[in-house]
């Protein structure tokens, strides 16, 4: 079975950031900042760009959207 290479960085209600794989029950890691979580996601899957949950509104997106890091 092929391994899914997607990895996500999402903000938790506690204010920190979880690095998780699709359909996972638990986070692979939890870090205090979005930057650290993105770096950790890149370590876990070096050949793919993590999908990062937006945490604020910008000209190109709102918090309910995802972006590539």
């Amino acid at each position: 079975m092929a391994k899914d290479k997607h990895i996500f960085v999402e903000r938790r209600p506690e204010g920190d950031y979880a690095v998780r794989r699709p359909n996972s029950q638990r986070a692979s890691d939890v870090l205090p900042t979005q930057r650290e979580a993105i770096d950790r996601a890149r370590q876990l899957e070096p050949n793919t760009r993590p999908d990062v949950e937006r945490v604020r509104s910008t000209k190109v997106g709102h918090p309910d959207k995802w972006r590539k890091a």
Side-chain angles (χ1 to χ4, degrees):
M1 183 150 100
K3 184 179 175 187
D4 190 358
K5 297 290 183 180
H6 280 98
I7 196 158
F8 298 93
V9 174
E10 47 189 26
R11 188 169 189 180
R12 297 182 346 140
E14 294 84 357
D16 50 8
Y17 295 85
V19 178
R20 65 176 64 239
R21 297 182 190 280
N23 304 316
S24 64
Q25 294 295 318
R26 297 177 54 188
S28 298
D29 209 343
V30 175
L31 296 141
T33 67
Q34 189 179 54
R35 169 56 40 210
E36 290 175 299
I38 291 170
D39 291 343
R40 180 65 178 137
R42 288 180 176 154
Q43 288 175 353
L44 292 171
E45 288 296 339
N47 296 323
T48 190
R49 292 172 57 195
D51 290 312
V52 180
E53 181 181 23
R54 289 189 188 278
V55 294
R56 60 188 168 96
S57 294
T58 65
K59 289 187 268 182
V60 295
H62 301 285
D64 62 339
K65 305 292 183 197
W66 293 84
R67 66 178 173 88
K68 289 287 188 185

